[in-house]
Amino acid sequence: MAYSLPDLPYDFAALEPHIDEQTLRIHHGKHHNKYVTKLNAALEGNEKYATQNIEDLMPTLAKLPDDIRTAVQRNGGQHCNHSFYWQCMRPAGQGNAEPTGPLAKAIDDTFGGFAKFKEKFTGTAGGCFGSGWGWLYLDQKKELAVTAMSNEYNPLMEGLVSETGTPLLVVDVWEHAYYLKYQNRRPEYLEAFWNVVDWDQVSQRYDQAMS
Ligand code: MN3
């Protein structure tokens, strides 16, 4: 089977003014689409390594044959991360503006409150040197953790990253995610990101992972 570009779960203009329509169109239709195309090309003739869901490909990357591993890891990782990033956002003003239920309590217990968590997440993602992703995830002890991973890496890549676990929230800090609107002002993009985080989805993900 071939991987395909997922539709966005909202309109291209739905995240305005925090994430602008032009950025979203290019990010999804050009950048993300390119990763999907290159992933399928890299797997040509090796379709047996493809999985039903892109997340299921991540723990197998370290064991792929040498001649396809780099291309599959880079483009597959980026396909996985972008697919997840779209799912972490929703139109501004819809749903809860903060985590709810057990996740809210866990954030309080782990980080000392929602404001402190936001500071930590923003600082960690903002401090990523070069291109990468800021993650909130559940570690192997089922405790909340925040990290930044460069390039295509994510916490599902067993054997390739030291911090593995279940992703709960991600923000893309590659320049293509914000440069048209924010230019070099990554911290402004990260502040704006909070207006479009889908906390209902993130809270549900936490509940599922803990059950
Ligand atoms: Mn991107």
Side-chain angles (χ1 to χ4, degrees):
M1 56 152 271
Y3 292 101
S4 58
L5 181 69
D7 289 335
L8 290 185
Y10 31 75
D11 294 338
F12 288 105
L15 307 181
E16 291 268 11
H18 312 290
I19 294 177
D20 61 291
E21 177 175 354
Q22 191 189 13
T23 295
L24 208 54
R25 282 190 184 278
I26 295 172
H27 199 176
H28 177 264
K30 304 287 183 191
H31 291 277
H32 186 175
N33 191 51
K34 181 194 72 182
Y35 296 123
V36 176
T37 304
K38 287 185 147 191
L39 171 61
N40 287 328
L43 283 167
E44 221 175 289
N46 287 285
E47 283 83 1
K48 63 179 173 181
Y49 296 113
T51 53
Q52 191 72 33
N53 298 308
I54 186 62
E55 305 87 61
D56 298 329
L57 185 68
M58 299 298 105
T60 72
L61 290 170
K63 293 169 241 157
L64 289 178
D66 283 346
D67 58 329
I68 63 167
R69 194 178 59 237
T70 302
V72 173
Q73 179 184 316
R74 287 179 178 164
N75 294 292
Q78 285 293 77
H79 175 35
C80 185
N81 296 352
H82 283 94
S83 300
F84 189 61
Y85 173 60
W86 311 133
Q87 298 290 336
C88 286
M89 298 185 287
R90 50 104 183 96
Q94 285 186 17
N96 285 295
E98 295 190 10
T100 53
L103 176 61
K105 185 179 184 311
I107 284 178
D108 284 347
D109 293 347
T110 308
F111 303 104
F114 183 55
K116 288 214 169 104
F117 156 73
K118 286 208 295 186
E119 216 173 285
K120 164 123 183 157
F121 186 91
T122 302
T124 303
C128 180
F129 184 73
S131 300
W133 301 82
W135 296 95
L136 169 69
Y137 68 104
L138 263 182
D139 69 15
Q140 298 298 338
K141 289 181 276 178
K142 296 231 169 185
E143 286 168 6
L144 292 178
V146 164
T147 192
M149 292 188 179
S150 61
N151 300 322
E152 78 280 15
Y153 289 95
N154 66 52
L156 296 171
M157 292 182 177
E158 283 161 31
L160 296 173
V161 296
S162 54
E163 296 161 292
T164 55
T166 307
L168 298 175
L169 172 69
V170 76
V171 66
D172 189 343
V173 292
W174 283 61
E175 281 187 345
H176 66 227
Y178 58 86
Y179 205 85
L180 288 177
K181 182 176 170 77
Y182 297 99
Q183 290 83 50
N184 61 321
R185 304 186 304 277
R186 186 190 274 181
E188 271 183 48
Y189 157 70
L190 289 170
E191 275 311 310
F193 175 69
W194 296 120
N195 295 296
V196 292
V197 171
D198 190 340
W199 282 112
D200 296 334
Q201 292 272 9
V202 180
S203 301
Q204 270 179 38
R205 250 172 237 139
Y206 179 79
D207 292 345
Q208 273 169 15
M210 295 300 282
S211 68

